[in-house]
Amino acid sequence: MTDRHRPLADVVLPCLNEAAALPWVLERIPPGWRAIVVDNGSTDSSAKLAASLGAHVVGEPVRGFGAACAAGLRAATAPVVCFCDCDASLDPGLLPSLAQPVLDGEADLVLGRRRPTTHGAWPMHARLANRELARLIRRRTGLHLHDLGPMRVARPEALLDLDLTDRRSGYPLQMIVRAADAGWRVREVDVPYYPRAGRSKVTGTWRGTWYAVRDMRAVLSEPPRSPAGALR
């Protein structure tokens, strides 16, 4: 891809049966930015619909949130790469405000701190799990974060250098932990959090939340890495 056709930013959207949400999400991608919809084995019309709406569609047959994110990252070519849920709970139109500190060299990783717009936007069991994870992140890394932040922005080359290996629910947490080990400047920005379209594959049930927390605890048990990425 030539620089003339290079997008200003890439937005990775992991997708598993999100046909109901895709039109709302894709119409909010900022002008000049590219939506990379990673179809993770959808059985509805998600992939075909995304392509018809102008998104760059990548297929990832290996199931898992981390697998989809990793495939999207490999497809990114822009100066910054963004990650956003594809369920209409987060507005991609807000991404420029998260990307600016990265583009200006003021931050290396920016996370969107979710602020629920309604009581039902964020189930209580998911909030409690997120609160516990934030506590564990502070203890493990020293970062005083409030949210795991599914909306996030960083430079793609730097993310690839982190050598993220989790391919399930632990991927977002592993990104934060390894970024902290590498000395990255991590920042939070408040973003509104809306009721999602459809049921969450991860936090829609207590069982799904438990499995996610299990994956993330495994990430937190990894040995710390040096800034160069090698194990100490």
Side-chain angles (χ1 to χ4, degrees), residues 109-116 122 126-139 141-152 173 176 186-191 193 216:
L109 175 63
V110 178
L111 310 174
R113 180 185 179 184
R114 289 170 288 184
R115 295 294 196 175
W122 203 353
R127 293 194 200 199
L128 292 174
N130 186 73
R131 186 179 302 170
E132 172 63 8
L133 284 169
R135 184 185 70 81
L136 294 173
I137 290 170
R138 285 194 293 272
R139 187 171 71 181
T141 68
L143 294 175
H144 290 271
L145 301 177
H146 302 85
D147 187 10
L148 198 54
M151 178 181 274
R152 50 186 62 193
L173 176 59
I176 293 173
V186 182
R187 180 184 296 187
E188 283 185 316
V189 175
D190 287 355
V191 294
Y193 193 51
M216 293 175 185

Side-chain angles (χ1 to χ4, degrees), residues 7-225:
L8 299 174
D10 281 316
V11 183
V12 175
L13 299 162
C15 178
L16 177 58
N17 296 329
E18 301 289 6
L22 274 168
W24 187 93
V25 172
L26 293 177
E27 73 179 10
R28 284 163 173 77
I29 299 295
W33 293 35
R34 180 175 65 158
I36 301 177
V37 173
V38 184
D39 184 64
N40 201 205
S42 297
T43 55
D44 64 3
S45 58
S46 289
K48 184 176 180 180
L49 177 60
S52 73
L53 294 173
H56 176 64
V57 179
V58 174
E60 176 48 72
V62 177
R63 283 289 184 93
F65 183 77
C69 288
L73 175 59
R74 290 193 300 270
T77 60
V80 295
V81 61
C82 313
F83 296 85
C84 185
D85 284 351
C86 197
D87 56 13
S89 62
L90 295 162
D91 184 353
L94 301 175
L95 282 168
S97 64
L98 277 71
Q100 202 59 52
V102 177
L103 290 169
D104 290 342
E106 298 172 356
D108 303 302
L109 175 63
V110 178
L111 310 174
R113 180 185 179 184
R114 289 170 288 184
R115 295 294 196 175
T117 57
T118 66
H119 180 72
W122 203 353
M124 182 54 67
H125 62 272
R127 293 194 200 199
L128 292 174
N130 186 73
R131 186 179 302 170
E132 172 63 8
L133 284 169
R135 184 185 70 81
L136 294 173
I137 290 170
R138 285 194 293 272
R139 187 171 71 181
R140 166 63 176 78
T141 68
L143 294 175
H144 290 271
L145 301 177
H146 302 85
D147 187 10
L148 198 54
M151 178 181 274
R152 50 186 62 193
V153 182
R155 293 195 178 273
E157 297 87 355
L159 282 178
L160 289 170
D161 286 344
L162 292 181
D163 190 26
L164 303 180
T165 56
D166 191 282
R167 292 298 181 262
R168 299 192 302 183
S169 300
Y171 185 91
L173 176 59
Q174 189 179 56
M175 183 186 297
I176 293 173
V177 169
R178 292 196 176 180
D181 287 350
W184 284 26
R185 296 161 299 170
V186 182
R187 180 184 296 187
E188 283 185 316
V189 175
D190 287 355
V191 294
Y193 193 51
Y194 304 100
R196 61 158 290 141
R199 191 180 194 185
S200 172
K201 287 80 174 175
V202 177
T203 60
T205 64
W206 282 96
R207 181 185 178 88
T209 301
W210 184 85
Y211 278 119
V213 171
R214 183 194 63 179
D215 289 346
M216 293 175 185
R217 282 186 178 275
V219 170
L220 289 167
S221 67
E222 292 179 355
R225 291 174 170 247

